[in-house]
């Protein structure tokens, strides 16, 4: 049982793009009947945190970044009795929760079952630190969980390193894998072998893919890829785009890959990805999260070859459950724990961001 | 009962691009056990015939163009007893048949149920007239139906004008409509109101679309559109692309169209089409059948808005049945007969092509 | 603009099974911030109201029955600004709303998108009249709409007779039609031609069914069936079950119906329904809403013929929108207004129930 | 390279139900242009062979039983150049092939992509031995492969024990697994742990099932189940049907299994299977291959709980490829080789059938 939350707690405040984080204290207030307060166990730095920090994407400041978070319940409102799967919740439980929250009715949720696209949706790590309840981001000692968040209890034998990326990277890949509609025996190509790509490879294998081909240019990523289900890791910096397409078509007889998944964030790769697919193949785009990802494609190829392209962004609450269940069922098969390969104290957040931005670590964790 | 086929018959031979068709006689031989010979009742000029004739697309010459054909069985091989739906076939029956044929096993057919994409597939209207059996195109008095073709018997009360486009335009639109995955109450936009677009509008209505919006710049097409299920026919030559997008978003509350269908063959419209869609919307491309239909799109928009784009080309045999059933069930509701709005004798094929190319007729028919 | 609601209003109270309804007055209180109060325009008697009234199904008493209701907003809480499609709501608007409501998170809603199966779901027409807010059923002058209800604004040109059954019978048939997965050109059999069956026939047609066959034993229903899209109305009381199966197999060449829909509530028809289907066919059960609908089937037939059977009960909120859009788009084609073929004042509710129970009217309406 | 086929070869002839097999010689003739002749490497005894042998199912006699077969190409017709995936074929290649064959067009293949349900379909192991080409079953030295069969080349490192069941049991389970529509994280129950059930468990795991529960009453099967992906093997002979249902509902929080798969062939288990499912769950029946598998179900439960039941019988050609790819990708994870746990010479076929019928072996193999 954790001790009662203190009166004040510390956060690493993002004051402006490209300036050092500043440790500050803010008051903790009692939870309302439909809120939870957690003591943060671990937060990991997502690529979008880096985009915010580097000013390539607007984020309110001063604020508290971080949305890949897990924590232990320190206080729980009287209306919150169970998690999204019906498990009872109490003080001391370690939990994950959706990176976004939304209250009320919205057309996209009610009609199209896309709560992740509700108008007025809010995300953790995207608020002003000065406003109540101050703590709504991962890089802090505490975090409030507001109404309209989906909460999921974590099993005790799951490590923090495996649990922390669940609510962003892993759940997104569960959504991507669903959209990829992988059949038993499919050949799957993954463009980009960061956290998303490595989890994507493991999920493709876990769905019965026969052959998973991973593409990247970072040697350290190519090296670990085989541990995560990648059968062929191809260095795209060798030999030119056309050579990569040719290699893949050779590896996927008789006529190319069934599915290509883009999680590298580079629009130019789309043209090559299309050329890797068989007639009737499927292309899922998920890494192109920044505006103006312009690319020129030959629409005739889509027509003649019955290609389907679809985009995926964020995830449905069911994917958070799938992410957890996937990791629990496959943690003996794939060393997910190793993806979080560096830990930092809250006071060392600048150093952590530096390493993450340089890609010298796969996923940097903060243990506040 | 038709009379026995003569020894010789006439075809309008395509000798070279942009030169007049030449009437020639070729011998008719007895059908083999797995062949059918039909006396052509009517052929219509498809846009791809015009592309071939104008030399924008390779086609063997001298040859016989035309693949939208119906005819009456003049001779039937002993192995052909029934049509693809199990109906008995005999001399004198009026039939339609798939525009393509393929014999033997092929990966795309056996594994992916895409017989329309078999390697080595042949199409009617795409052979040398000099080679046996000479008659494999629509602009001739007779046509052989070779093994690997899907044959479908026509009901007596269907007019030739309604029946002839079934095996190309209408069946293709059945494939497009399936790919469009229209739900009851959907808002559907159709880019292009030629034969494909008009049938597409009628099919969208027949699938329960609430509102069908048709886009074109040809006044005569916009004028007839409402007869074929188009609720709002918008002239895209008025007001600019952005204005069209705005109009459509207003007509499709709360956040845009569920589905957009492209059947106009102009790559540039894709950017606008994407902007008309709601989050989670679906874009079917079917008109971009010529190579290098390059278009620049913002892939981030696909990602952020969960858009699906898919291409459709030709059709599955089931769509030929669907095309016929659709026309039979809806011919009282939509005046399909009027789409074939000009008839010509075989000797007047040049004049027919001229009018079709100019778009002064919707669909020109040859009655040989 | 309606006048302000009075202090007291009248309801026809269901005091015990099989006893006359009693007119009583209850107080109207101001709406809370997340509630709406409507002046009831019309309520219709659903078969389940009759089951409750006749004591074959538990319902709290004394209570107010009736859940197929429409009404005009008399008072609206400050938090309710828009309907489920984003349309603004205000006093004086005529609306329909989901027959059920649910607040909070529930596994079936959050994970499986089945809000209609949330644990703790409540339905209109199923509460004690004595408890606040008293008015939660259709057979009364007013009705409160509580939080967690989906509200949908009605277009002005829709008649009350067309609008009232939307939120139960018609929306349920939208769910059934979706589950039936009707393709263009399908042959569809509907077992039972009450309100559900007639709307089901019209929807099957509106989805592109080639041939709709309706089965019933009530002459008046068989007589009107053709107005609602039924191509062949078969009297099952003539000729025995096997004869009906044979007729249907003859009407659906080459090997039976693609889809059978059960909306008659008689378990025995399932065996015949199975025999009507082609290999790979689909059977949707929706009328068997009473417990212990036991039926003996030959599971080997399901296996050998790849049959799919699925049950549908209530509906998803999207189906309420689909129901409205379907009726709006097809009210010129099918005379939905005639299905509500008798109107009664609130004080004549006993007479209305009597006629509905006897099936001498298709759908009895109360205009309180 | 194998030696040329001899003039005569030996088969174990099934002369009548329940009488000993008789070794006989028949002539081998040259292959026709569209045929293949294989030297049988191994055949396994399927449960349906036992049903035929014991006279519970009609099979022509005298005949050659056996349809789970692999062999090495001894002679190949000039028209057969490639396997169904496009791989070149030549004398000496070890192959598997579909247990059924069909030539020509058939409604179920052309329209519904169900070649396994073509009218006039023939199966290996179901012909008279006296008629040309004599060798069309597995329990013989040679076997002809006739036109309309799907052939698939086997990789060299796959053992005969892993390869032989591919074309019946394993491919059927690929079809079942597809019909089961397993999502990442699903809870799956399998009724029956014979060869079908064990492969089904492994496939469910390979599709990402979180928890697989296997039910049987044979101790030896329950014992090996955990090697094939079964997380909980439950002995249904202990504690009664209701206790089993209760156990499963406890193991699958919050409300039961997502999918139940029946491969035990006992109609009575269906009632229990239905009770194990969550709302919206899916039940695939595949073991009930004998006529009159009558079972009484409560159709109201299907309705109220939105249950889907579907039957699967035989398989699509794509499932043969999936079966091979699945075994190749997962043979290090699951000991498929051990399922074929007894080998016999052709002359000992009686002994092999005896052990298989007694269930003292899992799968008996003949090495002729």
């Amino acid at each position: 049982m954790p001790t009662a939350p203190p009166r004040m707690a510390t956060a690493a405040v993002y004051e402006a793009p490209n300036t050092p984080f500043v440790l500050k204290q803010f008051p903790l207030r009692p939870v309302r009947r439909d809120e939870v307060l957690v003591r943060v166990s671990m937060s990991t730095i997502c690529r979008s945190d880096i985009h915010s920090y580097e000013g390539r994407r607007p984020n309110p400041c001063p604020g508290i970044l971080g949305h890949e978070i897990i924590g232990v319940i320190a206080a729980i409102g009287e209306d919150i009795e169970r998690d999204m799967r019906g498990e009872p919740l109490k003080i001391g439980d370690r939990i994950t929760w959706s990176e976004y929250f939304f209250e009320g009715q919205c057309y996209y949720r009610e009609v199209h079952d896309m709560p992740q696209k509700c108008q007025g949706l809010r995300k953790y790590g995207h608020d002003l630190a000065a406003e109540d309840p101050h703590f709504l981001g991962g890089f802090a000692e505490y975090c409030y969980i507001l109404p309209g968040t989906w909460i999921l209890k974590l099993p005790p034998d799951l490590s923090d390193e495996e649990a922390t990326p669940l609510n962003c990277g892993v759940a997104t890949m569960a959504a991507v894998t669903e959209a990829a509609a992988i059949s038993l025996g499919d050949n799957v190509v993954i463009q980009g072998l960061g956290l998303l790509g490595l989890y994507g490879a493991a999920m493709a294998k876990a769905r019965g893919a026969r052959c998973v081909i991973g593409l990247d240019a970072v040697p350290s990523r190519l090296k670990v890829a085989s541990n995560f289900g990648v059968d062929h890791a191809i260095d795209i910096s060798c030999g030119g785009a056309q050579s990569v397409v040719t290699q893949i078509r050779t590896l996927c007889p008789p006529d190319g890959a069934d599915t290509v998944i883009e999680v590298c964030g580079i629009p130019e790769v789309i043209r090559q990805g299309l050329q890797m697919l068989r007639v009737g193949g499927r292309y899922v785009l998920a890494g192109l999260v920044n505006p103006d990802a312009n690319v020129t494609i030959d629409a005739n190829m889509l027509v003649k070859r019955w290609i389907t392209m679809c985009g995926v962004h964020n995830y449905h609450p069911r994917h958070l459950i799938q992410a957890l269940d996937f990791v629990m069922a496959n943690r003996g098969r794939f060393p997910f724990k190793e993806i979080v390969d560096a830990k930092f104290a809250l006071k060392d957040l600048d150093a952590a961001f530096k390493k993450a931005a340089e890609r010298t670590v796969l996923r940097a964790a903060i243990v506040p």
Side-chain angles (χ1 to χ4, degrees), chain A:
Chain A
M1 176 71 66
T3 54
R7 287 283 185 83
M8 302 286 285
T10 304
V13 175
Y14 157 66
E15 299 215 311
N18 300 305
T19 61
F21 291 98
V22 179
L23 293 186
K24 288 209 178 161
Q25 291 237 321
F26 296 97
L28 289 171
R29 62 158 173 75
V31 293
R32 297 191 182 134
R33 54 188 309 137
D34 48 8
E35 294 175 351
V36 171
L37 177 68
V38 302
R39 177 68 178 87
V40 175
S41 306
M42 183 178 278
S43 301
T44 38
I45 302 178
C46 174
R47 182 68 37 194
S48 68
D49 289 314
I50 298 170
H51 290 167
S52 297
Y53 180 71
E54 296 184 342
R56 287 200 300 274
R57 158 178 200 277
N59 218 46
C61 43
I64 304 171
L65 297 179
H67 53 269
E68 282 189 10
I69 329 169
I70 60 167
V72 172
I73 297 179
I76 183 164
E78 61 206 87
D79 286 356
I80 312 282
E81 293 176 1
R82 295 177 179 277
D83 79 353
M84 63 188 292
R85 181 139 70 175
E87 296 287 308
L89 289 178
K90 61 173 194 313
I91 288 177
D93 285 344
R94 191 176 53 142
I95 58 175
T96 183
W97 59 95
S98 59
E99 58 174 340
Y100 62 89
F101 55 103
F102 178 78
E103 257 201 313
Q105 282 194 354
C106 167
Y107 170 73
Y108 277 117
R109 180 191 187 179
E110 308 310 322
V111 177
H112 294 298
D113 192 29
M114 300 183 86
Q116 70 272 42
K117 288 290 161 186
C118 286
Q119 222 181 347
L121 189 95
R122 291 170 63 193
K123 290 191 178 184
Y124 291 93
H126 291 76
D127 280 275
L128 287 171
E131 293 179 356
D132 175 275
H134 308 296
F135 293 93
L136 285 174
F139 305 134
E141 290 177 329
Y142 283 85
C143 185
Y144 284 88
I145 303 180
L146 297 193
T149 305
W150 287 267
I151 298 172
L152 189 61
K153 196 171 167 175
L154 294 167
D157 47 345
L158 191 71
S159 68
D160 285 355
E161 289 83 355
E162 291 161 312
T164 308
L166 286 174
N167 80 327
C168 176
V170 191
T172 296
M173 289 316 294
V176 166
T177 302
E178 185 180 285
I182 295 168
S183 291
L184 212 53
D186 274 4
N187 294 312
V188 178
V189 175
I190 299 182
Q191 297 177 307
L193 293 173
L195 180 138
L196 294 184
L198 294 177
Y199 270 102
M203 280 187 187
K205 276 289 183 196
R207 288 292 282 163
R210 176 165 61 133
C211 171
V212 175
I213 302 170
L215 308 180
D216 209 307
V218 179
S220 59
R221 290 173 167 195
L222 291 163
K223 201 172 150 197
V224 299
S226 66
N227 299 335
F228 294 92
V230 174
D231 297 293
H232 305 276
I234 297 179
D235 185 345
I236 54 162
S237 63
C238 305
Q242 207 48 50
S243 150
V244 171
V245 170
T246 306
Q247 282 178 71
I248 283 167
R249 295 191 67 84
T250 306
L251 288 168
C252 304
D255 192 35
D258 298 285
T259 298
V260 175
I261 293 171
E262 176 279 316
V263 279
C264 65
I266 305 167
E268 290 72 28
V269 305
I270 294 179
R271 283 181 73 87
Q272 299 147 40
L274 288 170
Q275 293 174 52
M276 298 167 191
L277 284 166
R278 67 162 172 86
V279 171
R282 201 168 175 81
Y283 198 164
V284 183
L285 306 175
L288 296 159
V289 293
N290 288 326
D292 296 316
N294 292 314
V295 59
T296 301
I297 59 170
D298 177 3
N300 175 244
M301 192 200 188
L302 265 66
V303 170
K304 281 276 178 67
R305 292 179 70 79
W306 289 70
I307 301 296
T308 298
M309 286 177 81
C310 65
V312 169
H313 186 236
N314 295 335
Y315 58 87
H316 186 279
R318 73 174 168 273
H319 298 125
L320 182 57
I321 292 183
Q322 289 186 350
L324 173 59
D325 288 347
F326 162 75
V327 169
M328 286 306 293
N330 291 279
R331 55 199 291 267
R333 199 173 166 200
F334 305 110
F336 299 122
K337 202 175 165 176
E338 297 173 11
I339 292 181
V340 174
D341 54 353
K343 287 189 225 173
F344 299 84
L346 192 56
K347 68 178 173 58
D348 300 324
L349 190 57
D350 292 303
F353 263 71
K354 188 163 179 295
K355 284 198 178 285
E358 291 167 359
R359 292 177 211 259
T360 51
V361 299
L362 257 168
R363 204 65 155 196
I366 309 305
V367 184

